[in-house]
Amino acid sequence: LVTQAAAFAVSTLAVGPLLPTPAAAAASPEAEEQARRLLGPLVSAQASLQRQVQPGARVPLLRMPHAWQEHWEVRADPATFLAKLSAGLLELNDKDTRGFVYVLDESNPGTGHAQLSVFTRKRWLDIVSIDIEPVGPGRCTVDVRCVSSGLFPLSVPGAALINVPLGFVPFGDQSISQRKTCPDIRRATGLDIVVLSRGRIL
């Protein structure tokens, strides 16, 4: 199973993840150090693979029970939004009482793209893709897409490989993205944000 999973992972990487990941600035050293401290070596190592493959994001309809999207209007320009997000997530990780960890993997004001890794208390990995468009002075719209990236949590040894062939297995996310992840991200920025639309991703 592990050999088959590894082979499938290589072929999947050649195609590229379903959620777009444009070239972007890496996470800050402070964010990387905080993530290593909170997650530990096993979860951190497995996340680096699963973040690239995203097996739970690849099959339309089957991903719907664990994929969520929102469209926001923000009273800030894209650079301010990303700066506030970066600082706010560091503070959120220190205060979160439910054991979630939010890691800003990529942030690029030039392209208006960012990507987060969100780890639940039991260390399931959710990928959050953020795309920002300026719509006027001091205003922008933000498209947020969240998807649970694998069936098993990364606290299980070998889960990053086991999850690859199980990408075709439907599973739910207990509505975590709509109940906690997206509200936490909005709150972390400290900005005036209006949710214009939201719903499941097909």
Side-chain angles (χ1 to χ4, degrees):
L1 177 62
V2 171
T3 303
Q4 292 176 340
F8 190 80
V10 171
S11 64
T12 305
L13 281 169
V15 176
L18 181 142
L19 293 180
T21 53
S28 69
E30 185 179 5
E32 290 178 347
E33 173 58 32
Q34 185 188 60
R36 283 193 295 267
R37 173 171 55 83
L38 294 173
L39 297 173
L42 173 64
V43 173
S44 297
Q46 296 204 98
S48 63
L49 171 61
Q50 189 155 302
R51 188 182 295 120
Q52 295 297 319
V53 180
Q54 299 179 25
R58 294 184 169 276
V59 185
L61 296 181
L62 293 183
R63 69 177 179 234
M64 186 171 65
H66 56 263
W68 182 256
Q69 62 185 349
E70 294 191 359
H71 182 62
W72 304 341
E73 183 176 77
V74 183
R75 291 189 179 178
D77 59 76
T80 299
F81 174 84
L82 289 174
K84 292 280 190 179
L85 178 64
S86 178
L89 292 178
L90 290 173
E91 184 176 350
L92 178 64
N93 286 335
D94 287 332
K95 292 182 176 180
D96 193 292
T97 59
R98 292 180 58 184
F100 279 55
V101 178
Y102 295 78
V103 182
L104 184 61
D105 301 314
E106 302 174 0
S107 177
N108 192 326
T111 62
H113 178 79
Q115 180 173 294
L116 281 70
S117 292
V118 181
F119 299 85
T120 70
R121 182 172 61 86
K122 294 188 177 181
R123 299 309 181 236
W124 273 281
L125 171 59
D126 295 347
I127 304 296
V128 180
S129 180
I130 297 175
D131 289 291
I132 310 163
E133 289 285 345
V135 293
R139 291 173 58 242
C140 63
T141 58
V142 178
D143 287 309
V144 181
R145 295 183 301 281
C146 312
V147 64
S148 186
S149 64
L151 181 62
F152 287 102
L154 298 184
S155 55
V156 176
L161 288 177
I162 297 170
N163 283 334
V164 173
L166 298 180
F168 297 95
V169 177
F171 60 93
D173 63 356
Q174 300 180 332
S175 300
I176 284 177
S177 293
Q178 66 187 91
R179 291 190 297 105
K180 180 167 174 58
T181 302
C182 286
D184 277 358
I185 293 172
R186 293 195 300 269
R187 185 165 55 251
T189 67
L191 297 170
D192 185 3
I193 298 177
V194 177
V195 179
L196 300 177
S197 62
R198 57 185 179 177
R200 289 289 177 186
I201 300 173
L202 298 179

